[in-house]
Amino acid sequence: MTAWLQQWSPPAPDGTTNARILCMPYAGGGAGSYRHWGPAMPAGTELHAVELPGHGRRLTETPAAGATEIIETLVPLAARPGPPPILFGHSMGALLAYELCRALTELGTPPAALVLSAMSPAHLVDRAACRALTGDPVALLDHVRELGVTPPEVLRTPAMRELVLRTMRADLGLLAAFPDPADPVPASVAVLALSGRSDDVYPPHAVAAWEPFAERWRGMRVLDGGHFFPWRDDTVPDLIASLARDIASAHGTCSAPP
């Protein structure tokens, strides 16, 4: 599998793929954040997570130049033979998932569903704040510490700290330049939003702003926790697993490509 994707679920013993899930990373995050979701997935469900250049296992690589480069690379990976994927994106990943959904739909290969977590549409992003953080190393480091997902020992190591800050700087630049959402996602794609009840980064009312950008809006679920609520307990992976079962039941199975 390409360096852009990590698979966190074992292949089905009989070679049959019932559903596919493609997860997008939050700002500064890597594919490894979805590793523990694998065991929650039903048999025959492929769970993949995107590893962007400059993130995770690719931390030493130069980050992508922008959203366009990322989406153009992901389209053929998401559109490969097999069941249409469920797209899941958290925070920055929700914006990437939305744009990938639109690109796949325009190609005639729409995803099975789109799940947008802990993020507002791009036009509501505080672009000025994102730009300000990219130019202030001290504030940027404080921001990374406040998010609380980077191990303190990593930030205490100068070389690793600089790589982490480079990644976050690139992601904040991507957020500052992200294109505003276009026409609503067509009704062929079910769109569900998730929000953390105590999220002070993108609170529920900001996440609910996705509704006008979906013709088949499945509503928003507000769950306990802050901005990183999907990793608070098993509620979100169990929800995604249930969605995969429903889609597999509705659409049948498909032999996995070699």
Side-chain angles (χ1 to χ4, degrees):
M1 185 63 70
T2 172
W4 281 74
L5 298 183
Q6 292 287 328
Q7 182 167 343
W8 296 127
S9 55
D14 61 358
T16 298
T17 300
N18 302 322
R20 287 194 296 146
I21 302 163
L22 183 57
C23 299
M24 308 289 167
Y26 49 82
S33 60
Y34 294 101
R35 178 194 294 269
H36 84 278
W37 288 20
M41 297 302 115
T45 297
E46 293 182 6
L47 175 68
H48 298 275
V50 171
E51 191 80 286
L52 298 176
H55 297 66
R57 295 183 180 182
R58 306 175 69 188
L59 189 61
T60 58
E61 297 181 30
T62 302
T68 299
E69 176 185 333
I70 294 170
I71 300 304
E72 288 179 350
T73 302
L74 292 179
V75 164
L77 301 178
R80 65 188 177 89
I86 298 166
L87 301 181
F88 175 89
H90 182 77
S91 198
M92 179 187 78
L95 297 182
L96 293 172
Y98 174 83
E99 289 300 322
L100 180 57
C101 176
R102 291 192 53 78
L104 290 171
T105 302
E106 291 173 2
L107 190 65
T109 56
L114 173 63
V115 183
L116 304 168
S117 172
M119 190 68 197
S120 71
H123 70 287
L124 296 179
V125 171
D126 190 338
R127 300 174 191 269
C130 290
R131 293 191 192 97
L133 282 172
T134 63
D136 187 334
V138 175
L140 182 60
L141 179 58
D142 288 342
H143 177 67
V144 170
R145 285 175 173 145
E146 287 170 5
L147 290 175
V149 293
T150 304
E153 59 271 21
V154 170
L155 296 179
R156 286 195 293 266
T157 306
M160 290 300 297
R161 180 174 63 240
E162 288 311 308
L163 286 173
V164 169
L165 293 181
R166 184 188 70 166
T167 298
M168 184 61 77
R169 191 177 296 113
D171 287 350
L172 289 169
L174 185 150
L175 288 173
F178 215 92
D180 288 347
D183 297 331
V185 171
S188 59
V189 181
V191 181
L192 172 67
L194 305 177
S195 179
R197 197 180 314 277
S198 304
D199 189 348
D200 56 5
V201 181
Y202 288 98
H205 68 84
V207 180
W210 281 109
E211 182 173 1
F213 300 99
E215 292 183 11
R216 191 178 166 200
W217 178 249
R218 287 298 190 84
M220 182 179 74
R221 291 192 59 176
V222 179
L223 305 172
D224 289 339
H227 188 61
F228 292 99
F229 67 90
W231 291 272
R232 181 178 182 273
D233 54 34
D234 292 332
T235 300
V236 175
D238 287 348
L239 185 155
I240 300 299
S242 177
L243 182 58
R245 281 190 289 267
D246 291 346
I247 288 173
S249 176
H251 297 285
T253 61
C254 180
S255 294

